[in-house]
Amino acid sequence: MTAVLGGCGLGGGPDEVTLKLVAADYGDSSANSSRKYWDKLVKEYEAAHSGVKVDVSVYSWTDVDRKVKELVDAGKAPDMAQIGAYADYADKGLLYKADELIGIREQADFVSQLGSAGRINGMQYGMPFAASTRLLFYNKTLFADAGLTPPTTWKQLAADARALRADGVKYPYALPLGPEEAQAETMQWLLSGGGGYVDDAGTYGIDSEENVATLTWLKDDLVGKGLTGPVAPENLNRAAAFSAFAAGDVGMLNGHPSLMKIAAEKGVKFGMVPMPGADGPTRNSMGVADWMMAFRQNGHAEQVGDFLDFVYSEKNVLAFSREYDLLPVTNSASEAMSGSSRDADLKPFLGALPSAELPPVGKTSWASVSAAVKKRIGSAVSSEGNPGEVLRALQLTAQNAE
């Protein structure tokens, strides 16, 4: 889906600059497509900046990263791209640094860990645009029927799952390790076991003892005990798991803010708690961010910077976050959301953001490592799987990619 958005202005004068932005679509239908968000924002901007026009092309998440790559490879890079990864373009020297575009105050307004995740060698290339965290969703009706309370440890999670299975629940715990987003579900579980994709120094440690122990527990105590439902985790995608939760067929699963709307529309009563850990609630939730970046090719740093100042105003960051049930990426908008009763549903996710850990998006190797995790991690918890072997293979893939 492509939307070319015109606006007010002087209409093609010799000093007029046209900025091109490629953006991802966060909507789930034409009624709330990101096209409408950008249409309104650009109209307001152009009304106050007669010498600048902004053309925005909006693509689905299935296509947007590929489209930007095609444009860059063809020597037709857009002025800006709002997509899922920035590190590869920064590594090739194609991007402006943020301090060439926006001021120190504006950069300092980025939520700390989101801003940090957008830096390479201390330089800000990726500007966070959208964020979310993950919590454990549970079906309140199913839990009440089984006399259960939300789990805080893996042992309690397994016990709750056994009770739900005894009550005939189709998916006591839905474990989506299919190729759609297995890297995210995996990361949340690795964090809950005290591990992760990288160590404290930022070096890949995929085959750490903690990670092997986590996947071994999943294989033996959840999947092997028949507590993850009729579809093998390696064949279950996130979208299917969310749909099953909205249908009332899932007792528990990891979810991000958009699941609230999906479940509420189907009348499912749900609760949300921190992800259980091996011995207590997980210290660090998983965080996810998408990125805004600006390409050097067209040389419009001044105009791009001015437009981004408008994009990242508190009003516009709040409007986008509220429209798509996402978390603000700036401190100013986060504070406004925290103090607003209309955003009460997002506050549990907002509260998890300060301690959230993001995937190693600053590594140019992460794209290939993530793809390998999506492809292979589900097999680690299958009946014939060997968690240690799979994690060692993924570690080797990461080291080679580095």
Side-chain angles (χ1 to χ4, degrees), residues 385-400:
N386 185 314
E389 286 184 4
V390 172
L391 291 175
R392 282 189 288 275
L394 289 172
Q395 175 69 11
L396 182 60
T397 296
Q399 291 172 338
N400 290 337

Side-chain angles (χ1 to χ4, degrees), residues 251-372:
M252 299 171 280
L253 83 169
N254 280 319
H256 52 64
S258 69
L259 181 55
M260 294 189 298
K261 181 182 294 185
I262 296 171
E265 288 177 348
K266 297 294 186 179
V268 173
K269 295 180 179 179
F270 60 88
M272 301 174 295
V273 294
M275 176 66 182
D279 302 309
T282 301
R283 183 180 62 184
N284 300 107
S285 172
M286 188 191 74
V288 177
D290 301 321
W291 305 96
M292 178 73 76
M293 63 210 72
F295 288 89
R296 291 182 171 276
Q297 179 177 321
N298 299 320
H300 294 149
E302 181 179 351
Q303 293 85 359
V304 167
D306 190 67
F307 178 66
L308 290 178
D309 282 342
F310 184 73
V311 169
Y312 282 103
S313 68
E314 180 182 314
K315 179 190 76 169
N316 287 326
V317 172
L318 276 174
F320 180 84
S321 301
R322 286 166 170 162
E323 177 65 30
Y324 298 107
D325 289 323
L326 292 165
L327 304 181
V329 296
T330 61
N331 293 312
S332 56
S334 294
E335 290 171 5
M337 181 174 279
S338 295
S340 172
S341 59
R342 68 180 288 188
D343 300 307
D345 287 346
L346 285 171
K347 287 180 182 177
F349 296 94
L350 198 60
L353 187 57
S355 61
E357 184 172 325
L358 275 71
V361 292
K363 291 179 173 290
T364 57
S365 59
W366 173 241
S368 59
V369 174
S370 176

Side-chain angles (χ1 to χ4, degrees), residues 20-41:
K20 296 186 180 296
L21 165 64
V22 176
D25 192 356
Y26 289 81
D28 54 16
S29 68
S30 59
N32 70 340
S33 168
S34 295
R35 171 180 179 174
K36 294 189 175 182
Y37 171 80
W38 287 111
D39 192 3
K40 182 176 183 295
L41 184 145

Side-chain angles (χ1 to χ4, degrees), residues 219-245:
K219 177 180 184 293
D220 295 342
D221 290 70
L222 273 192
V223 181
K225 299 290 176 59
L227 302 178
T228 54
V231 179
E234 62 189 305
N235 297 323
L236 182 65
N237 280 324
R238 181 195 64 178
F242 279 18
S243 294
F245 186 82

